[in-house]
Amino acid sequence: MSIDITITQKGLLKKPLPLTVILGERLQYGALEGERLKPGELGEGAFIAYLPEAIGRGFQIFWQEGEKAKVELRSLTPTTREELRAFYDCVDRICTYWKCELEVEGEKMALRDFQAGFENQADFTLRALRSMSGEILEGKHENLTLHCAMFPLTLGRGEAERFAPAENLDGFRDFLHEKQSMDVYYAAPMFYRDGEGVLGLFVLREGVRSVAPKAPRVPLGVQDPNTGKALQVDRWEIVLGDADMEQVGRVPYDTFLARLPAARVSRFDGGSILLEGLTLEELRKIAE
């Protein structure tokens, strides 16, 4: 679920939309590299804006330097109240700077009418969070993965028990910010095709506090270039490296999970584990 906005500049004498107008005084930005954000970088035609003091799901902005024609924005649901407010404020800044036409979900709308709907949208995002959590508790889903600003986060039963009865979005805000503000490496897979099929490969480095999946998955939207369909992985492996990333070993991912020292592993969220920095000796034992 999302809110999709298109803002089109009108008139003959069009002026470029500066990045400073989009960001205002509070927002920061970054470009997605796979599932991870590279803060401070702009993507080719799109970037993610987020609040550094309350990192949530971020919202996507389709824009490039010198843009005069239009800009598109997308906010995901559920999100936090703070991020939703930042999204609405961003729309307001752009519409104030440009003489423009505003479309919400493809329908033309006056800016004042859009802004008047903020509280209804905030209520809707809370209901959406409760509904998703309820579906997990009812067993309809084991977990649900949310695209977020820095990297994906997964709601499992523990999160669902917390958010299903929520009276506001404060706990959701705190959860998203706490996880994404941690100094961790988020292990995202790379994909290769060889004589045995498609390989999903992770990398783990000595001494680096890392987040890794309990069960590897192909990120949403990743396609097989040969078929155009969702990528199917034939096997998952992980490369273990020392501090200089010289390879210590390479093992199947399920073998890696089975050999992890229990004292170094804790729950991160509904789909991932937190690995305290593994020593070189521990990595060598895993690779045996």
Side-chain angles (χ1 to χ4, degrees):
M1 295 180 287
S2 64
I3 310 171
D4 291 292
I5 303 288
T6 301
I7 304 172
T8 305
Q9 185 170 197
K10 311 299 288 184
L12 295 176
L13 299 177
K14 294 181 172 63
K15 56 184 178 180
L17 178 64
L19 181 61
T20 53
V21 171
I22 297 173
L23 298 177
E25 296 181 355
R26 298 178 61 200
L27 291 171
Q28 292 186 11
Y29 65 91
L32 282 174
E33 184 178 62
E35 291 192 300
R36 293 177 296 216
L37 192 77
K38 298 181 72 175
E41 295 195 12
L42 293 171
E44 294 185 8
F47 64 90
I48 301 296
Y50 66 96
L51 291 168
E53 73 275 15
I55 307 172
R57 303 192 66 185
F59 53 91
Q60 196 168 16
I61 301 176
F62 299 89
W63 169 93
Q64 56 188 358
E65 190 173 356
E67 182 62 59
K68 294 182 179 180
K70 69 176 182 179
V71 61
E72 297 173 298
L73 303 91
R74 174 174 295 161
S75 174
L76 300 174
T77 303
T79 186
T80 70
R81 185 179 180 89
E82 289 78 5
E83 188 167 88
L84 188 64
R85 182 69 267 169
F87 178 75
Y88 271 66
D89 289 346
C90 181
V91 172
D92 185 73
R93 284 193 301 274
I94 297 170
C95 289
T96 301
Y97 185 80
W98 270 354
K99 178 182 178 182
C100 62
E101 178 180 273
L102 172 66
E103 292 184 18
V104 181
E105 303 295 337
E107 299 291 332
K108 293 181 182 179
M109 181 178 290
L111 177 61
R112 63 179 178 277
D113 294 333
F114 173 69
Q115 293 292 345
F118 173 79
E119 289 298 340
N120 286 338
Q121 187 61 42
D123 289 342
F124 176 75
T125 201
L126 177 58
R127 293 196 303 272
L129 177 62
R130 288 172 175 167
S131 176
M132 293 173 65
S133 300
E135 289 182 358
I136 294 172
L137 296 179
E138 292 166 8
K140 294 181 179 179
H141 309 282
E142 181 179 354
N143 54 51
L144 288 168
T145 298
L146 303 177
H147 289 287
C148 296
M150 295 296 169
F151 46 74
L153 291 171
T154 300
L155 305 184
R157 191 168 187 86
E159 290 77 22
E161 290 174 346
R162 179 180 176 185
F163 300 139
E167 296 183 358
N168 56 52
L169 292 163
D170 291 356
F172 187 51
R173 174 202 61 204
D174 295 345
F175 165 74
L176 296 182
H177 181 72
E178 175 194 352
K179 298 300 181 183
Q180 294 181 88
S181 60
M182 293 173 65
D183 184 15
V184 294
Y185 167 74
Y186 181 85
M190 299 169 285
F191 301 101
Y192 304 92
R193 191 182 299 274
D194 58 21
E196 299 179 49
V198 176
L199 167 67
L201 189 66
F202 293 91
V203 175
L204 181 66
R205 185 176 179 178
E206 172 197 357
V208 177
R209 198 180 194 206
S210 303
V211 173
K214 292 191 291 187
R217 62 175 180 82
V218 177
L220 184 67
V222 174
Q223 295 182 335
D224 187 324
N226 294 335
T227 65
K229 298 180 180 179
L231 184 68
Q232 299 295 317
V233 172
D234 298 291
R235 69 192 194 282
W236 295 92
E237 297 181 1
I238 186 166
V239 171
L240 309 173
D242 64 15
D244 297 321
M245 212 46 230
E246 292 294 327
Q247 185 169 320
V248 173
R250 177 168 160 174
V251 296
Y253 194 81
D254 56 356
T255 300
F256 163 73
L257 292 177
R259 293 178 179 176
L260 281 171
R264 294 287 195 172
V265 183
S266 61
R267 185 183 189 277
F268 182 74
D269 64 13
S272 303
I273 53 177
L274 177 63
L275 307 176
E276 301 302 334
L278 298 177
T279 67
L280 185 58
E281 181 181 355
E282 289 170 330
L283 292 178
R284 285 174 172 158
K285 286 183 179 180
I286 292 171
E288 288 177 352

